[in-house]
Structure formats: C-alpha cells, structure tokens
Amino acid sequence: MYSAVMSMSTPERLIEATRELLWERGYVGTSPKAVQQAAGAGQGSMYHHFAGKQELALAAIRRTADELGAAAETVLGAEGSAHARIEAYLLRERDVLRGCPVGRLTMDPEVIADPALRAPVDEALGRLRARLAEVVQEGLDRGEFSGSLDPEEIAAAVVATVQGGYVLARATGSPAPFDSAVRGLLALLGPSAAVAATAAAAAV
C-alpha cells in the first residue's frame, strides 16, 4: 500500500505515509512508529526532519488540503459554462466509499480540538466554497442561473452535498446515496439554468 512512497526523499515519505495513516486510522492511530514503518524511516531520521507527531501531521494535512483545492480547480477552472463546471465537479471520479481525506479529518476529535491542525482543514473547505461561489456568480452574470440564487448558499449546498454524500455512502456501504444526492442537487440547479439560457437566447 505504501510502496509508492519509497522512491521519495525521507521527508516526503514521512508526509505521504502520515497522510495515508491519518485517512485510514485517524490521528490517534497514526503513531510515530506506524509512520516510521510505513515510510521506511528510522526514529532518528523522522525527528531530524520534524519536531514531533503534531508537526508531521500538520505537514500531511496541509498537503492533503492543497490537493483538494488542486483537484477542484482542475474542473472548476476548465472551459465551459458555470453549470457544466459545477456538474463536472459533482460527477468527477471519486472513491466514494473511502470518503474525502479532508472531510474525514473534520470527524477526527483530536484534529478538531487542535487549532493548528484544524486550521488547514477549515481553510481548504473555505477556499472550496469561495471558488464554487465564484463559478456560480459567473453563471449569474452570464444569465445561466436564476437571479434569485445566492452564490454563497449554492456553494455551501454543493460542499454539503458532497461531504454528506460521503457519510451516507459509508453508512450504507454503497455509493448509491452519494450518487442520489448529486443527482438531486443537479436537478435543482438544472431547470433554472435551462430556463435562463432559453430566455437569454430568445433576447438576442
């Protein structure tokens, strides 16, 4: 499972191993010994690069948060209508049953109780909501969406649908609840977009 990290530098191996362990076991289960074993690094090497578990976990969480933003931007920053980009974000390939590595951290009491560890999680989700709101605003400006839509509220609904969908899928052991939630949100957004686009075309 951790073979991919072995060709990296020692700090990179430690960070990548910690990311995987945080996802699978949570903060408590991510012991320094488990990290060292997964990374193929000795205790002395680990503490040469990081002051301790908290500093290493923070580096891992920041990396995970950055990847969340980069993955979202790949579709949200692409060409196409605002609706198409939001749809692409909602429908992009995910390991639904494994869940979101950032979302999972919000359910880790040790991470949430530590302001330093919680900060990159909160910031990552905040940036995602802000980026989604920008895309919705673009759609409003172009007449794709009903003018009654609030960009911040729609952005929050998109994030909540994705994160809540992960929880429901894991609870049932099936991706079906996630897929259903996404289809439902797209159905709510779709008709307004279609009506607005038709009206805009007729006005030309």
Side-chain angles (χ1 to χ4, degrees):
M1 181 179 298
Y2 303 109
S3 58
V5 305
M6 298 312 293
S7 62
M8 303 175 183
S9 67
T10 299
E12 288 295 308
R13 294 204 311 271
L14 289 165
I15 290 172
E16 289 301 317
T18 302
R19 292 177 64 201
E20 288 290 331
L21 288 167
L22 284 171
W23 196 348
E24 294 177 357
R25 305 183 186 182
Y27 188 78
V28 170
T30 303
S31 66
K33 182 177 181 180
V35 171
Q36 292 158 24
Q37 291 177 340
Q43 181 177 357
S45 179
M46 174 177 167
Y47 288 104
H48 172 72
H49 296 288
F50 299 95
K53 174 180 173 178
Q54 198 258 13
E55 182 177 312
L56 178 54
L58 180 58
I61 291 170
R62 283 175 174 162
R63 177 75 56 82
T64 298
D66 288 345
E67 285 197 359
L68 172 74
E73 186 58 28
T74 297
V75 290
L76 295 177
E79 297 293 326
S81 68
H83 184 275
R85 284 180 283 156
I86 292 172
E87 181 178 45
Y89 171 73
L90 288 167
L91 296 178
R92 73 179 180 83
E93 185 176 351
R94 294 176 169 88
D95 188 346
V96 174
L97 294 181
R98 197 176 186 204
C100 171
V102 173
R104 290 277 289 276
L105 290 168
T106 67
M107 295 181 280
D108 190 317
E110 283 73 26
V111 171
I112 296 305
D114 186 324
L117 297 179
R118 185 178 68 248
V121 176
D122 183 34
E123 291 165 4
L125 294 173
R127 286 194 299 268
L128 177 58
R129 289 194 302 271
R131 186 67 179 97
L132 284 162
E134 287 178 359
V135 175
V136 175
Q137 185 62 59
E138 289 176 26
L140 288 169
D141 294 341
R142 296 172 183 172
E144 294 180 43
F145 298 128
S146 166
S148 64
L149 294 183
D150 181 283
E152 285 74 23
E153 291 180 355
I154 296 301
V158 171
V159 175
T161 296
V162 171
Q163 295 300 328
Y166 283 130
V167 173
L168 294 174
R170 287 176 60 80
T172 61
S174 167
F178 182 96
D179 296 339
S180 180
V182 165
R183 288 195 303 270
L185 180 57
L186 288 173
L188 291 173
L189 290 175
S192 295
V195 170
T198 300
V204 174

